[in-house]
Amino acid sequence: MKLYILIHEQDTDSSWGTSAKPFIDRAAAQDAMRQDYEDTIKRWGFDEAVQTEEHRSYCHDGGAMIRNDTDMEQWRIEEHELQVEMAVEVHQGLVQAIYANADIYPEVYDLDSSDFAEDNETAEVDIKAAELEKLKQQPGWRAVY
């Protein structure tokens, strides 16, 4: 499992410090970084059209920076691999247990219906199937088995 850590460093007259936010999707980390960057540009009243050694800014996919003399804020996205493993125990066609080496929150979508299903049971299965399909379309979701 890949983790994308958005690291924000601030060294200004009014504040100093570092923060880190984890993301499981690179695009989400980039969006958060871009939003923080744009908010800071507005808050500082920074003129991006004027670029010098002491007054410059940029925002790229992997990092951003704003510098005005000695005041500086910068962001970077670091990618880390986290080895998350999961095992699903199935007995007689039923999930009995799920084991993992990390805190994960699995949800089982049982799309089976009885041989003589009534309309409401079939409708419930259709709703579950639609929920699962929507989930699978989200960024970062993929079949792992």
Side-chain angles (χ1 to χ4, degrees):
M1 170 182 197
K2 287 195 187 285
L3 284 181
Y4 302 93
I5 311 298
L6 173 58
I7 299 170
H8 174 226
E9 298 172 295
Q10 181 177 11
D11 186 2
T12 64
D13 291 340
S14 62
S15 185
W16 178 86
T18 302
S19 65
K21 295 179 192 172
F23 294 87
I24 58 173
D25 179 56
R26 175 180 278 286
Q30 290 170 333
D31 290 345
M33 177 183 67
R34 194 168 291 107
Q35 186 63 52
D36 284 352
Y37 171 84
E38 290 171 3
D39 291 347
T40 303
I41 288 285
K42 288 177 188 170
R43 190 175 70 249
W44 283 23
F46 193 87
D47 184 2
E48 293 179 274
V50 177
Q51 297 282 330
T52 67
E53 188 63 33
E54 283 84 28
H55 184 90
R56 61 187 166 132
S57 67
Y58 65 83
C59 185
H60 303 297
D61 288 343
M65 192 265 304
I66 303 171
R67 178 179 178 180
N68 187 21
D69 197 25
T70 60
D71 289 341
M72 185 169 69
E73 290 195 41
Q74 73 183 48
W75 298 260
R76 71 180 182 276
I77 298 172
E78 291 186 1
E79 184 177 311
H80 296 272
E81 189 69 34
L82 183 62
Q83 194 62 35
V84 175
E85 297 176 314
M86 178 178 67
V88 179
E89 180 182 351
V90 178
H91 183 68
Q92 295 180 342
L94 296 174
V95 173
Q96 301 297 315
I98 298 174
Y99 305 96
N101 67 349
D103 289 334
I104 59 170
Y105 306 97
E107 187 163 338
V108 176
Y109 289 82
D110 184 358
L111 302 180
D112 288 337
S113 60
S114 63
D115 292 338
F116 304 103
E118 295 182 14
D119 290 343
N120 64 341
E121 184 180 354
T122 305
E124 287 178 25
V125 169
D126 291 344
I127 290 169
K128 287 180 189 176
E131 288 174 2
L132 179 59
E133 190 59 37
K134 184 178 178 181
L135 188 66
K136 291 178 350 186
Q137 299 304 317
Q138 292 181 3
W141 284 80
R142 64 200 172 284
V144 294
Y145 178 78

